[in-house]
Amino acid sequence: MKVKPFKNESINDFSNKSNIEKQKKALQEVRNMLGKNYDLHIGGKQNQTEKKFNSYNPSDKDEVLATFSKGTVDLVNLAVETAYDKFQEWQYVTAEKRAKILFKAAAIARKRRFEINAWMILEAGKNYTEADADTAEAIDFLEFYGREILRYSSKQPITPVKGEKNELVYIPLGVGVVIPPWNFPFAILVGMTSAAIVSGNTVVLKPSSETPMMGYLFYEIMKQAGLPDGVLNFLPGSGAEVGDNLVAHPKVRFIAFTGSMEVGIHLNELAAKVQPGQIWLKRVVCEMGGKDSIIVDKETNIDEAVNGVVASAFGYQGQKCSACSRAIVDASVYDKFVEKLKTAVDQIQIGPAEENYRMGPVVSAGAERSILSYMEVGKTEGRLLNGGMKAEGSGYYIKPTVFVDVSPTARISQEEIFGPVLAVIKSSNYEESLKIANNTKYGLTGAVYTRNRKKIERAKKELLIGNLYFNRKCTGALVGGHPFGGFNMSGTDSKAGGRDYLLLFLQAKLVSEKVK
Ligand code: NAD
């Protein structure tokens, strides 16, 4: 099967009026569809349950967008058994056929792009560009993993042995459980699920309860693309009930999780326990939180550094695992940096995602509570430069907040806040900056602003983070170009969007035949 080389999907430019109009029109169309009920989908059949939960608009917190049936323990069992039965066929479907379904799904997502964005703007509170970049990344994952399975299913290099015909083939694992977060509600969900499916596995998908609609849209797109019933099963529900029972099920072979460190550790422990009847050790792909730093060296352009820090700290309200939550600034440029930072942050406007404000709401009441309580901690650990409180409006709006003069060991320097809160730390020299950047239990992303080549080379060696950038922001990883995943408590370094990723959903089998 011949395919064109992979290329990243371009992001729509919303300084262009016609794109704004297209997005507004799609928002209006989606608004006409609000308030419907959505079922669970197992083996292509719709299931309703008595208990329901709502998806809300964080920009206008009492607005219900959709209502979903809530999965039960019985349905967990049915979904896993269905996926297990379907695996007996799906594993033998050729890689070409599986890849074609992903390419078709990418084409459908391209056509429905503004509609997908619109749901995300309403459900996750992303502005137009953030939502569009998320949808573009999802399309990239479909295109990239489609190509990757063709590579893994082709002839693999192996050392010849005289008198034998040997081959190494990659085969799928079995039933996978996919548990994504809400913050890249389409891209990460699509990435983990499509990688598992294109590798020949069957999946039970439990979307985040904050963004179930994004999971439903993907289910619908895969069905439209011709995915046979039972390969993807859609099972929203509570993390503790549906999530835990899925992970513990003896017929589940692997778990693909992205979310917080606390839940990741819990699921890793749960998956490690061998259940009665289970005949394998479960594989866990577990991507977790971050406490990401940008080092601002004295040998740099301060304006560029300020721009990079602001974009990384406050893009999507700081709710990215890759968000900069610590700026480590050299003492000799510290005052200048802080002054420019204050001006830049003061300019950020906050309002409803639907109206495309630069900053929208945080995702939920729980997120708002937790971020506000960290702000109170921050007030005892540093000097408040900007924000530090809620912003006006009927959604979960929080002002972009900066604390300066924060100690590298303070709580707000160490714990993931996952909101628009930045700690600025003064460092006496470059050596100390590197040490501070490495002083957390996480190791996800980071950036260094410096013009000095020697310092760049030193950081390349010494910084223990999965995605390290120089002279640019530390968010915005691109599929193919920036394989993504972190070290230590940031996860298992799965490198989503990279050439090693599908291996996590495959196992290698060696076949050796004696020849005369
Ligand atoms: P979360 O851990 O609260 O939830 C993640 C998923 O796990 C959701 O689907 C949730 O319903 C489910 N879940 C929650 N409790 C569960 C339980 N007891 N059993 C089974 N499933 C359960 O995380 P979140 O708030 O959705 O996402 C934010 C977190 O994700 C942040 O920590 C962020 O850094 C991290 N994240 C990491 C990456 C990465 O690539 N490393 C990417 C995005 C987000």
Side-chain angles (χ1 to χ4, degrees):
M1 180 178 179
K2 280 225 148 160
V3 286
K4 286 191 199 146
F6 171 76
K7 195 167 119 255
N8 291 111
E9 195 71 12
S10 51
I11 313 279
N12 286 309
D13 175 5
F14 288 100
S15 64
N16 178 336
K17 244 185 164 183
S18 88
N19 283 333
I20 291 272
E21 272 155 26
K22 281 185 202 160
Q23 193 54 73
K24 287 206 160 140
K25 185 164 168 271
L27 276 159
Q28 201 42 56
E29 283 161 8
V30 163
R31 281 216 155 273
N32 294 335
M33 292 169 12
L34 299 187
K36 291 191 181 163
N37 279 299
Y38 293 85
D39 298 335
L40 312 165
H41 294 258
I42 299 172
K45 296 201 181 83
Q46 293 177 226
N47 297 263
Q48 289 176 7
T49 54
E50 247 169 57
K51 281 196 186 160
K52 314 271 183 209
F53 71 100
N54 292 329
S55 156
Y56 290 97
N57 177 1
S59 296
D60 187 4
K61 58 192 182 192
D62 296 324
E63 183 179 35
V64 175
L65 303 174
T67 300
F68 285 79
S69 274
K70 212 172 186 179
T72 59
V73 176
D74 285 347
L75 289 176
V76 164
N77 292 329
L78 180 67
V80 175
E81 291 293 347
T82 304
Y84 187 82
D85 288 347
K86 192 67 195 178
F87 176 68
Q88 312 316 321
E89 282 167 44
W90 181 246
Q91 61 178 323
Y92 300 122
V93 170
T94 63
E96 280 80 8
K97 277 195 185 153
R98 298 194 304 248
K100 269 189 190 159
I101 293 175
L102 262 60
F103 297 145
K104 184 130 190 246
I108 297 169
R110 241 176 239 121
K111 277 204 194 119
R112 297 179 64 179
R113 181 141 171 190
F114 288 99
E115 177 203 349
I116 298 166
N117 293 352
W119 276 110
M120 206 180 323
I121 290 163
L122 290 174
E123 193 174 56
K126 293 204 171 194
N127 68 23
Y128 295 7
T129 303
E130 294 285 353
D132 193 63
D134 193 316
T135 308
E137 188 179 355
I139 295 171
D140 280 352
F141 279 134
L142 292 164
E143 293 284 356
F144 188 81
Y145 295 146
R147 283 163 178 74
E148 279 295 284
I149 200 60
L150 298 177
R151 185 169 71 82
Y152 277 110
S153 64
S154 64
K155 193 169 164 28
Q156 298 300 314
I158 187 163
T159 307
V161 177
K162 213 173 160 202
E164 288 179 2
K165 189 176 147 239
N166 294 342
E167 59 177 328
L168 181 113
V169 290
Y170 288 107
I171 63 168
L173 295 168
V175 177
V177 168
V178 176
I179 304 184
W182 52 262
N183 72 326
F184 283 92
F186 203 56
I188 292 181
L189 179 146
V190 170
M192 292 198 293
T193 312
S194 63
I197 287 175
V198 85
S199 303
N201 305 289
T202 54
V203 166
V204 182
L205 166 65
K206 190 211 86 62
S208 164
S209 302
E210 318 292 1
T211 51
M213 196 61 207
M214 303 316 298
Y216 177 73
L217 284 179
F218 183 58
Y219 175 78
E220 198 179 72
I221 288 170
M222 289 300 267
K223 208 168 159 79
Q224 254 182 304
L227 187 74
D229 289 342
V231 177
L232 173 58
N233 302 282
F234 177 65
L235 191 65
S238 105
E241 191 178 349
V242 171
D244 280 10
N245 282 294
L246 279 172
V247 171
H249 198 291
K251 284 193 175 157
V252 163
R253 176 68 180 80
F254 68 97
I255 292 102
F257 168 83
T258 306
S260 62
M261 179 187 72
E262 292 74 14
V263 175
I265 291 172
H266 164 69
L267 294 185
N268 192 45
E269 283 172 4
L270 196 59
K273 171 101 184 89
V274 176
Q275 305 290 339
Q278 184 181 322
I279 58 166
W280 46 64
L281 296 177
K282 289 175 190 168
R283 200 182 276 181
V284 183
V285 180
C286 194
E287 294 309 309
M288 309 189 287
K291 192 72 196 169
D292 310 307
S293 304
I294 293 186
I295 293 178
V296 181
D297 179 41
K298 61 183 176 190
E299 296 178 81
T300 194
N301 177 318
I302 298 296
D303 292 311
E304 283 173 19
V306 167
N307 285 342
V309 167
V310 171
S312 309
F314 302 112
Y316 188 36
Q317 294 77 265
Q319 300 174 115
K320 299 182 187 180
C321 52
S322 53
C324 167
S325 56
R326 319 189 317 159
I328 304 165
V329 184
D330 191 285
S332 61
V333 292
Y334 188 84
D335 290 345
K336 193 166 153 201
F337 176 87
V338 166
E339 190 192 323
K340 288 182 182 247
L341 178 69
K342 179 167 173 34
T343 310
V345 176
D346 277 342
Q347 282 163 6
I348 298 176
Q349 293 196 326
I350 314 164
E354 210 172 337
E355 290 168 35
N356 199 24
Y357 276 82
R358 181 160 166 204
M359 251 180 75
V362 300
V363 78
S364 64
E368 183 183 80
R369 246 191 329 271
S370 158
I371 297 162
L372 290 175
S373 85
Y374 268 112
M375 285 181 175
E376 294 314 307
V377 174
K379 287 172 191 169
T380 67
E381 291 184 329
R383 176 166 66 85
L384 184 67
L385 188 72
N386 302 77
M389 61 178 90
K390 262 186 78 56
E392 274 176 22
S394 56
Y396 304 113
Y397 300 107
I398 294 183
K399 290 196 176 172
T401 295
V402 181
F403 292 102
V404 295
D405 306 341
V406 181
S407 149
T409 54
R411 277 185 66 197
I412 62 161
S413 297
Q414 291 292 322
E415 297 172 21
E416 188 183 44
I417 301 172
F418 218 58
V421 182
L422 173 71
V424 182
I425 302 167
K426 193 190 277 185
S427 130
S428 40
N429 53 45
Y430 191 64
E431 168 136 14
E432 191 180 75
S433 295
L434 293 176
K435 261 200 199 132
I436 296 170
N438 275 337
N439 85 346
T440 77
K441 57 185 160 198
Y442 296 105
L444 191 48
T445 76
V448 179
Y449 276 86
T450 183
R451 276 191 294 263
N452 183 316
R453 175 52 43 192
K454 278 200 182 130
K455 287 178 177 168
I456 291 179
E457 293 308 322
R458 190 162 169 202
K460 274 196 204 169
K461 266 195 248 150
E462 292 181 25
L463 287 180
L464 194 63
I465 47 188
N467 284 59
L468 170 59
Y469 305 98
F470 290 97
N471 299 316
R472 52 151 287 180
K473 61 182 181 166
C474 62
T475 52
L478 284 176
V479 170
H482 310 128
F484 191 84
F487 304 148
N488 295 344
M489 280 302 175
S490 288
T492 49
D493 191 37
S494 67
K495 288 293 181 274
R499 285 165 67 93
D500 301 334
Y501 194 67
L502 286 200
L503 273 183
L504 300 166
F505 302 91
L506 293 164
Q507 51 196 341
K509 181 175 182 180
L510 186 278
V511 182
S512 176
E513 186 181 340
K514 189 164 181 166
V515 287
K516 292 220 170 100

PDB file of all heavy atoms in Angstrom, residues 150-162:
ATOM      1  N   LEU A 150       1.942   0.255   8.978  1.00  0.00           N
ATOM      2  CA  LEU A 150       2.426  -0.293   7.708  1.00  0.00           C
ATOM      3  C   LEU A 150       3.922  -0.603   7.840  1.00  0.00           C
ATOM      4  O   LEU A 150       4.410  -1.619   7.353  1.00  0.00           O
ATOM      5  CB  LEU A 150       2.172   0.692   6.568  1.00  0.00           C
ATOM      6  CG  LEU A 150       0.686   1.006   6.322  1.00  0.00           C
ATOM      7  CD1 LEU A 150       0.520   2.049   5.217  1.00  0.00           C
ATOM      8  CD2 LEU A 150      -0.103  -0.259   5.975  1.00  0.00           C
ATOM      9  N   ARG A 151       4.627   0.270   8.531  1.00  0.00           N
ATOM     10  CA  ARG A 151       6.072   0.036   8.745  1.00  0.00           C
ATOM     11  C   ARG A 151       6.296  -1.194   9.637  1.00  0.00           C
ATOM     12  O   ARG A 151       7.115  -2.058   9.331  1.00  0.00           O
ATOM     13  CB  ARG A 151       6.691   1.285   9.389  1.00  0.00           C
ATOM     14  CG  ARG A 151       8.188   1.221   9.561  1.00  0.00           C
ATOM     15  CD  ARG A 151       8.744   2.593   9.941  1.00  0.00           C
ATOM     16  NE  ARG A 151       8.393   3.009  11.290  1.00  0.00           N
ATOM     17  CZ  ARG A 151       9.046   2.621  12.394  1.00  0.00           C
ATOM     18  NH1 ARG A 151      10.063   1.767  12.301  1.00  0.00           N
ATOM     19  NH2 ARG A 151       8.689   3.065  13.581  1.00  0.00           N
ATOM     20  N   TYR A 152       5.534  -1.275  10.736  1.00  0.00           N
ATOM     21  CA  TYR A 152       5.736  -2.414  11.651  1.00  0.00           C
ATOM     22  C   TYR A 152       5.290  -3.740  11.035  1.00  0.00           C
ATOM     23  O   TYR A 152       5.750  -4.802  11.448  1.00  0.00           O
ATOM     24  CB  TYR A 152       4.989  -2.178  12.974  1.00  0.00           C
ATOM     25  CG  TYR A 152       5.759  -1.322  13.948  1.00  0.00           C
ATOM     26  CD1 TYR A 152       5.357  -0.030  14.249  1.00  0.00           C
ATOM     27  CD2 TYR A 152       6.907  -1.802  14.560  1.00  0.00           C
ATOM     28  CE1 TYR A 152       6.055   0.763  15.139  1.00  0.00           C
ATOM     29  CE2 TYR A 152       7.629  -1.021  15.453  1.00  0.00           C
ATOM     30  CZ  TYR A 152       7.201   0.268  15.737  1.00  0.00           C
ATOM     31  OH  TYR A 152       7.923   1.040  16.617  1.00  0.00           O
ATOM     32  N   SER A 153       4.370  -3.700  10.069  1.00  0.00           N
ATOM     33  CA  SER A 153       3.894  -4.971   9.499  1.00  0.00           C
ATOM     34  C   SER A 153       4.720  -5.365   8.271  1.00  0.00           C
ATOM     35  O   SER A 153       4.500  -6.421   7.692  1.00  0.00           O
ATOM     36  CB  SER A 153       2.414  -4.872   9.132  1.00  0.00           C
ATOM     37  OG  SER A 153       2.251  -3.908   8.130  1.00  0.00           O
ATOM     38  N   SER A 154       5.672  -4.525   7.881  1.00  0.00           N
ATOM     39  CA  SER A 154       6.515  -4.902   6.736  1.00  0.00           C
ATOM     40  C   SER A 154       7.666  -5.782   7.239  1.00  0.00           C
ATOM     41  O   SER A 154       7.824  -5.980   8.445  1.00  0.00           O
ATOM     42  CB  SER A 154       7.030  -3.644   6.043  1.00  0.00           C
ATOM     43  OG  SER A 154       7.855  -2.949   6.935  1.00  0.00           O
ATOM     44  N   LYS A 155       8.464  -6.279   6.321  1.00  0.00           N
ATOM     45  CA  LYS A 155       9.550  -7.205   6.681  1.00  0.00           C
ATOM     46  C   LYS A 155      10.545  -6.521   7.632  1.00  0.00           C
ATOM     47  O   LYS A 155      11.014  -5.416   7.359  1.00  0.00           O
ATOM     48  CB  LYS A 155      10.261  -7.618   5.390  1.00  0.00           C
ATOM     49  CG  LYS A 155      11.191  -8.792   5.527  1.00  0.00           C
ATOM     50  CD  LYS A 155      11.593  -9.240   4.124  1.00  0.00           C
ATOM     51  CE  LYS A 155      12.769 -10.137   4.023  1.00  0.00           C
ATOM     52  NZ  LYS A 155      13.181 -11.022   5.008  1.00  0.00           N
ATOM     53  N   GLN A 156      10.832  -7.152   8.753  1.00  0.00           N
ATOM     54  CA  GLN A 156      11.716  -6.553   9.758  1.00  0.00           C
ATOM     55  C   GLN A 156      13.148  -7.058   9.580  1.00  0.00           C
ATOM     56  O   GLN A 156      13.369  -8.232   9.268  1.00  0.00           O
ATOM     57  CB  GLN A 156      11.224  -6.917  11.169  1.00  0.00           C
ATOM     58  CG  GLN A 156       9.835  -6.389  11.480  1.00  0.00           C
ATOM     59  CD  GLN A 156       9.747  -4.870  11.409  1.00  0.00           C
ATOM     60  OE1 GLN A 156      10.586  -4.153  11.933  1.00  0.00           O
ATOM     61  NE2 GLN A 156       8.710  -4.372  10.734  1.00  0.00           N
ATOM     62  N   PRO A 157      14.122  -6.184   9.770  1.00  0.00           N
ATOM     63  CA  PRO A 157      15.523  -6.612   9.596  1.00  0.00           C
ATOM     64  C   PRO A 157      15.923  -7.624  10.666  1.00  0.00           C
ATOM     65  O   PRO A 157      15.587  -7.457  11.845  1.00  0.00           O
ATOM     66  CB  PRO A 157      16.314  -5.309   9.770  1.00  0.00           C
ATOM     67  CG  PRO A 157      15.390  -4.369  10.451  1.00  0.00           C
ATOM     68  CD  PRO A 157      13.983  -4.788  10.172  1.00  0.00           C
ATOM     69  N   ILE A 158      16.595  -8.675  10.254  1.00  0.00           N
ATOM     70  CA  ILE A 158      16.997  -9.711  11.209  1.00  0.00           C
ATOM     71  C   ILE A 158      18.259 -10.379  10.640  1.00  0.00           C
ATOM     72  O   ILE A 158      18.400 -10.492   9.419  1.00  0.00           O
ATOM     73  CB  ILE A 158      15.801 -10.681  11.437  1.00  0.00           C
ATOM     74  CG1 ILE A 158      16.088 -11.672  12.541  1.00  0.00           C
ATOM     75  CG2 ILE A 158      15.380 -11.401  10.190  1.00  0.00           C
ATOM     76  CD1 ILE A 158      14.826 -12.342  13.053  1.00  0.00           C
ATOM     77  N   THR A 159      19.166 -10.787  11.502  1.00  0.00           N
ATOM     78  CA  THR A 159      20.430 -11.371  11.036  1.00  0.00           C
ATOM     79  C   THR A 159      20.188 -12.749  10.428  1.00  0.00           C
ATOM     80  O   THR A 159      19.566 -13.608  11.072  1.00  0.00           O
ATOM     81  CB  THR A 159      21.409 -11.503  12.227  1.00  0.00           C
ATOM     82  OG1 THR A 159      21.498 -10.237  12.857  1.00  0.00           O
ATOM     83  CG2 THR A 159      22.783 -11.974  11.786  1.00  0.00           C
ATOM     84  N   PRO A 160      20.660 -13.012   9.196  1.00  0.00           N
ATOM     85  CA  PRO A 160      20.422 -14.328   8.567  1.00  0.00           C
ATOM     86  C   PRO A 160      21.127 -15.448   9.336  1.00  0.00           C
ATOM     87  O   PRO A 160      22.229 -15.260   9.851  1.00  0.00           O
ATOM     88  CB  PRO A 160      21.031 -14.170   7.171  1.00  0.00           C
ATOM     89  CG  PRO A 160      21.311 -12.724   6.989  1.00  0.00           C
ATOM     90  CD  PRO A 160      21.419 -12.103   8.324  1.00  0.00           C
ATOM     91  N   VAL A 161      20.477 -16.602   9.446  1.00  0.00           N
ATOM     92  CA  VAL A 161      21.083 -17.789  10.063  1.00  0.00           C
ATOM     93  C   VAL A 161      21.085 -18.879   8.991  1.00  0.00           C
ATOM     94  O   VAL A 161      20.032 -19.161   8.405  1.00  0.00           O
ATOM     95  CB  VAL A 161      20.288 -18.251  11.307  1.00  0.00           C
ATOM     96  CG1 VAL A 161      20.890 -19.520  11.902  1.00  0.00           C
ATOM     97  CG2 VAL A 161      20.232 -17.140  12.352  1.00  0.00           C
ATOM     98  N   LYS A 162      22.229 -19.468   8.755  1.00  0.00           N
ATOM     99  CA  LYS A 162      22.360 -20.481   7.690  1.00  0.00           C
ATOM    100  C   LYS A 162      21.433 -21.673   7.943  1.00  0.00           C
ATOM    101  O   LYS A 162      21.336 -22.161   9.067  1.00  0.00           O
ATOM    102  CB  LYS A 162      23.810 -20.960   7.630  1.00  0.00           C
ATOM    103  CG  LYS A 162      24.221 -21.320   6.233  1.00  0.00           C
ATOM    104  CD  LYS A 162      25.693 -21.616   6.169  1.00  0.00           C
ATOM    105  CE  LYS A 162      25.914 -22.423   4.906  1.00  0.00           C
ATOM    106  NZ  LYS A 162      27.113 -23.192   4.956  1.00  0.00           N
TER     107      LYS A 162
END
